[in-house]
């Protein structure tokens, strides 16, 4: 498995805990985030600025039949993913997206599977599409931030986490991940503030407690 850190990065030699934390975040994302986001549904109208990752615009509106069939495949994919059958779940999400390119739930579910397989560029593309369809939802932003951290795009991760924290200030995982991002950027003050917020929300968050100790909180 390729390392999430570039070969020239000093983190590869002197900060081995960073890689393990990133991998732990991916595991937490897969176990803690629901594949069924409930209210995370595609907007009725196509976004003004479609995300780059979104499929090419179709010539006509997606038919109601396609939308209904896509939702059926999405539900099957969610059930399969929760039972650990990720390969079969991926097939269902692929079918759902093919039928309805604006199915945010299928895009998000597929992104989580890509992330778990360390296919972070694919994950980032799907998280971006899901976020573009539902700009106020923190889950796609958090997911994309974790994949950004895995591929060394720390500034991009921090920007996503700032937005996710505004969208859901009571999400402990967002604050823990934000602390990790700002710690890697060398901003100890923002890292400490983020870890402190995470611990206040979830006192047994070991990653946040360890991070707070590292940055001197």
């Amino acid at each position: 498995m390729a390392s999430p850190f570039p070969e020239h990065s000093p983190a590869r030699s002197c900060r081995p805990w960073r890689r393990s934390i990133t991998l732990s975040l991916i595991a937490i994302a897969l176990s803690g985030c629901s594949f069924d986001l409930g209210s995370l549904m595609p907007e009725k109208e196509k976004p003004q600025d479609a995300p780059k990752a979104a499929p090419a615009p179709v010539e006509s509106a997606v038919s109601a039949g396609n939308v209904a069939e896509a939702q059926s495949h999405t539900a099957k994919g969610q059930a399969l993913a929760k039972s650990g059958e990720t390969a079969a779940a991926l097939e269902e999400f692929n079918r759902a997206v093919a039928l309805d390119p604006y199915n945010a739930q299928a895009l998000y579910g597929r992104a989580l599977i890509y992330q778990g397989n360390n296919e972070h560029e694919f994950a980032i593309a799907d998280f971006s599409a899901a976020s573009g369809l539902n700009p106020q939802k923190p889950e796609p932003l958090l997911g994309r931030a974790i994949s950004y951290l895995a591929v060394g795009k720390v500034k991009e991760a921090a920007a996503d986490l700032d937005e996710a924290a505004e969208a859901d200030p009571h999400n402990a995982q967002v604050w823990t991940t934000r602390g990790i991002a700002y710690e890697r950027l060398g901003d100890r003050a923002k890292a400490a503030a983020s870890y402190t917020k995470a611990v206040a929300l979830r006192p047994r968050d070991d990653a946040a407690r360890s991070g707070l100790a590292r940055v001197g909180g």
Side-chain angles (χ1 to χ4, degrees):
M1 180 179 67
S3 168
F5 298 103
E7 291 293 331
H8 63 274
S9 172
R12 186 177 178 85
S13 58
C14 64
R15 292 290 186 272
W17 52 267
R18 290 178 176 174
R19 180 175 182 275
S20 63
I21 287 175
T22 301
L23 295 176
S24 296
L25 285 172
I26 293 170
I28 292 169
L30 286 168
S31 62
C33 292
S34 172
F35 283 83
D36 181 3
L37 298 183
S39 60
L40 183 66
M41 296 295 290
E43 301 290 343
K44 292 182 179 179
E45 298 295 331
K46 183 179 170 183
Q48 293 295 319
D49 297 313
K52 292 181 181 179
V58 290
E59 292 183 0
S60 59
V62 179
S63 71
N66 279 8
V67 170
E69 188 176 351
Q71 289 174 344
S72 177
H73 284 297
T74 299
K76 290 178 183 177
Q78 291 165 346
L80 287 165
K82 288 175 182 177
S83 66
E85 299 178 60
T86 54
L90 183 59
E91 292 182 6
E92 294 295 332
F93 289 136
N94 283 337
R95 293 188 182 103
V97 173
L99 288 163
D100 179 8
Y102 305 106
N103 186 319
Q105 288 184 316
L107 288 163
Y108 178 79
R110 189 170 70 173
L112 284 176
I113 292 176
Y114 283 143
Q115 188 175 75
N117 291 338
N118 293 309
E119 297 178 271
H120 292 291
E121 294 302 336
F122 289 123
I124 288 167
D126 277 353
F127 282 132
S128 296
S131 184
L133 290 163
N134 290 267
Q136 301 303 314
K137 296 294 181 180
E139 293 90 349
L141 291 166
L142 173 60
R144 186 170 65 179
I146 291 172
S147 281
Y148 275 148
L149 286 172
V151 299
K153 296 183 178 181
V154 186
K155 289 183 179 179
E156 290 87 343
D160 274 355
L161 293 161
D162 286 346
E163 189 174 345
E166 289 184 9
D168 185 3
H170 301 294
N171 189 316
Q173 190 183 349
V174 167
W175 289 108
T176 298
T177 312
R178 186 175 184 268
I180 291 168
Y182 277 107
E183 184 177 357
R184 286 178 58 180
L185 288 173
D187 192 331
R188 296 171 69 88
K190 282 188 177 180
S194 297
Y195 288 137
T196 299
K197 183 71 173 179
V199 171
L201 291 167
R202 190 165 59 188
R204 295 185 180 181
D205 188 329
D206 290 337
R209 293 167 66 89
S210 297
L212 194 56
R214 284 194 303 271
V215 297

